[in-house]
Amino acid sequence: MKVTVVGAGAVGASCAEYIAIKNFASEVVLLDIKEGFAEGKAMDLMQTASLNGFDTKITGITNDYSATAGSDVAVITSGIPRKPGMTREELIGINAGIVKTVSSNLIKYSPNVILIVVSNPMDTMTYLVHKTTGLAKNKIIGMGGALDSARFKYRLAEALESPISDVDGMVIGGHSDTGMVPLTGHATRNSIKVSEFLSEERLTQVAEDTKVGGATLTKLLGTSAWYAPGAAVSSMVQAIACDQKKMFPCSAYLEGEYDLSDLCIGVPVILGKDGIEKIVNIPLSDADKAKMQESAVGVKKTNDLLEL
Ligand SMILES: NC(=O)c1ccc[n+]([C@@H]2O[C@H](COP(=O)([O-])OP(=O)(O)OC[C@H]3O[C@@H](n4cnc5c(N)ncnc54)[C@H](O)[C@@H]3O)[C@@H](O)[C@H]2O)c1
C-alpha cells in the first residue's frame, strides 16, 4: 500500500506520522511545494521509526509528482489554514486553485488513486475535485465528519464524566461551524441513549461546543489543529488499506440520498478497498432532517463561489 500525502504542514505531517505508527502502509510519500520541507519532515519522521517501532518507509519530495506514481490512496492537505476569527469558507480563493492543480497532478501519475480531501472549505473542495477530475465518485472522499465525531465524543465524555471509550456518536452535515449536525438523539453511552444521563440543555451545549470545536482550537493555537485531523485521516486511510468496511461520516457526492443532490456533504459511509463502498441511510428525526437541509444550503452557497 502506497500512500501520498500532499502538504507536509501541520495536518499532512501528523497524518503521515499516524499512518506510519499504525504500520499498515509500506510507503508514505510526503510532497510539498516548499523547497526541502517535505524532505526534512520525512527524514525527521523516519528517525522516529526505531523509537516508535514502525517499518513504513516515509520519503519527502518537493513538488515532483513522479515520486507519487502508483499511489493507492492520496491525501490532499495542501493549502492555507484559517487564523483566529476566520471561517473555513474564507479560504476558498487560494485553496481552490491549489486543490485543483494538486488533484490533477496526482491522478496523472496514479490514475486508480482514491483521494481524501482535507483542505478547507472541505465539502466544497471535495465537490471541486468531483467536478474537475472525472474520478469515480466512490474514489473522492472528504474528511470532516470523522474529526467532528471525535470532537463530539470528547465533549460527550466530558459532560458524562465518563471515559471516551464508553461513548459513541456521530456528526453529519457540512464541515463548518454552522453546518455540522451532531446527532445527539443517536449518541450512546454503553448502548444507552445519552439523553438518559444528560439534560436537553446540557446536550445542546455539547452540540454547540462540538460545532465550534475547530474555532476553539484555532483561537488557542493561532492556527487550525493537526493532531485530531491527522488521526482522523489516518483512520480513514487504514479502513481503505485494510478493507475494514468501517463506517465513518465522510463528505460524499450525493445523488438523492438524504433528499440531497449535486453536492458533497457529510453522511455515514462504509469505507473499504474501493473507497466509499456504500452511503448508509440512517433514520433522522424531523429536526435533524431540517438541520441537514439547512446545512446543504450553506454548502451549496460556498460551492457557488467556485469557478468551474
Ligand atoms: N477537513 C478538516 O477537518 C481539516 C482539519 C484541519 C485542517 N484542515 C485544512 O487543511 C489544510 C492544511 O492545514 P495545515 O494546518 O496543515 O496548514 P499548513 O500551513 O501547516 O500546511 C499546508 C502545507 O501545504 C503546502 N502547500 C501549499 N500549496 C501547495 C501546493 N500547491 N502543493 C503542495 N503543497 C502545498 C504548504 O507549503 C504547507 O506546508 C488547511 O486548508 C486547513 O484549513 C482541514
Side-chain angles (χ1 to χ4, degrees):
M1 162 68 57
K2 177 171 176 176
V3 182
T4 288
V5 179
V6 180
V11 177
S14 159
C15 169
E17 181 178 13
Y18 285 121
I19 290 172
I21 284 178
K22 291 179 183 179
N23 228 346
F24 59 82
S26 50
E27 192 180 354
V28 174
V29 176
L30 205 48
L31 183 148
D32 203 283
I33 200 164
K34 205 168 15 166
E35 191 69 42
F37 191 57
E39 288 84 340
K41 287 279 181 111
M43 193 185 290
D44 194 10
L45 282 171
M46 279 307 281
Q47 290 170 0
T48 71
S50 63
L51 299 161
N52 286 333
F54 63 79
D55 295 319
T56 304
K57 184 182 165 207
I58 309 170
T59 50
I61 190 84
T62 303
N63 222 24
D64 174 6
Y65 282 82
S66 65
T68 72
S71 293
D72 301 287
V73 180
V75 181
I76 303 177
T77 76
S78 45
I80 52 165
R82 57 181 171 157
K83 296 282 170 231
M86 282 176 90
T87 65
R88 295 174 177 91
E89 289 70 23
E90 287 174 71
L91 306 173
I92 190 170
I94 293 177
N95 286 357
I98 294 174
V99 169
K100 198 170 166 183
T101 310
V102 166
S103 53
S104 93
N105 281 333
L106 285 168
I107 293 166
K108 186 169 157 199
Y109 286 95
S110 305
N112 297 317
V113 73
I114 293 174
L115 288 181
I116 299 182
V117 181
V118 180
S119 311
N120 275 316
M122 182 277 296
D123 296 296
T124 295
M125 293 302 105
T126 309
Y127 182 74
L128 174 70
V129 171
H130 179 83
K131 285 289 168 192
T132 55
T133 61
L135 210 59
K137 63 176 185 169
N138 58 304
K139 293 188 164 192
I140 303 170
I141 313 165
M143 191 291 287
L147 168 65
D148 301 332
S149 300
R151 288 177 172 160
F152 184 37
K153 287 180 240 187
Y154 165 78
R155 289 297 185 189
L156 279 169
E158 181 183 57
L160 289 160
E161 298 180 18
S162 78
I164 292 179
S165 56
D166 261 13
V167 301
D168 203 4
M170 192 159 55
V171 177
I172 60 171
H175 179 61
S176 70
D177 297 358
T178 50
M180 285 177 213
V181 184
L183 297 176
T184 48
H186 285 74
T188 59
R189 177 178 186 177
N190 291 35
S191 84
I192 313 291
K193 287 197 172 192
V194 293
S195 52
E196 294 289 334
F197 308 111
L198 298 173
S199 66
E200 204 179 319
E201 195 185 18
R202 188 69 183 92
L203 261 178
T204 304
Q205 189 59 50
V206 164
E208 289 311 309
D209 289 344
T210 302
K211 286 161 74 174
V212 296
T216 304
L217 283 162
T218 302
K219 203 169 157 198
L220 289 168
L221 298 166
T223 185
S224 65
W226 54 88
Y227 293 120
V233 179
S234 73
S235 296
M236 289 165 59
V237 176
Q238 185 174 22
I240 296 165
C242 304
D243 196 21
Q244 287 176 327
K245 319 283 187 203
K246 211 168 151 66
M247 191 193 292
F248 289 94
C250 295
S251 191
Y253 186 74
L254 300 187
E255 291 174 299
E257 300 89 347
Y258 290 87
D259 290 327
L260 296 170
S261 296
D262 195 32
L263 83 169
C264 294
I265 194 167
V267 290
V269 308
I270 302 298
L271 288 188
K273 65 176 178 3
D274 296 323
I276 296 179
E277 298 196 346
K278 191 180 173 196
I279 292 174
V280 184
N281 227 326
I282 52 167
L284 295 181
S285 65
D286 287 347
D288 286 339
K289 269 186 206 161
K291 284 181 198 160
M292 195 66 180
Q293 294 298 323
E294 204 180 306
S295 180
V297 171
V299 171
K300 284 200 168 184
K301 217 164 136 188
T302 311
N303 291 352
D304 286 343
L305 300 173
L306 290 171
E307 286 165 18
L308 291 170

